[in-house]
Amino acid sequence: MAKANEGKSLSISVDGIEYERIPLKTHVVMPGEKLMDVVEQYAAAELRDGDIFFITEKIVAIMQGRSYALDEIQPRKLATFLSRYVTKTAYGIGLGMPETMEMALREVGTPRVLLASAVAAVTKALGR
């Protein structure tokens, strides 16, 4: 029996159309597993014609080897410095941790992160 996360509902109405969400519990997915194998094992029996099937980015990242345990990430001094200036929010870690900032630096490159930081500093000074 499908169960919603706390504070969530299994159905949602969008533009007057009712959608049913069916969360599927899987084993702990590991790097190197094949996406279609997991889909066939856990979702194939649930899917019907016309269904829209979503997979979280987290599962895909794990399968592609793009997910790291925090203790595997060694943030450089720049990541630690920049993460101090990120606004912490109640709805997620974001870039406010040195480890997540380090991963952003690796993913998009130091020049882009520095440019975005400079723009943010200027707009913050202007009250935006």
Side-chain angles (χ1 to χ4, degrees), residues 27-75:
H27 64 278
V28 176
V29 175
M30 301 301 288
E33 287 192 58
K34 302 269 188 251
L35 180 60
M36 287 310 299
D37 291 347
V38 174
V39 170
E40 287 172 2
Q41 182 177 352
Y42 294 99
E46 301 289 335
L47 294 174
R48 305 291 178 260
D49 283 344
D51 283 354
I52 300 170
F53 183 69
F54 290 91
I55 300 170
T56 66
E57 178 187 7
K58 186 180 289 187
I59 294 291
V60 175
I62 290 168
M63 289 178 172
Q64 293 176 341
R66 295 185 303 111
S67 181
Y68 301 90
L70 281 177
D71 62 356
E72 294 176 1
I73 304 168
Q74 297 300 317

Side-chain angles (χ1 to χ4, degrees), residues 3 8 11 22 28 43 57 61 76 81 96-97 106 116 119 124 128:
K3 181 179 175 223
K8 302 289 183 179
S11 63
I22 304 170
V28 176
E57 178 187 7
R76 58 191 121 158
F81 173 77
M97 285 178 55
R106 292 181 195 178
V119 170
K124 190 172 192 174
R128 300 278 311 181

Side-chain angles (χ1 to χ4, degrees), residues 12-19:
I12 186 169
S13 182
V14 178
D15 294 331
I17 301 171
E18 193 76 18
Y19 293 93

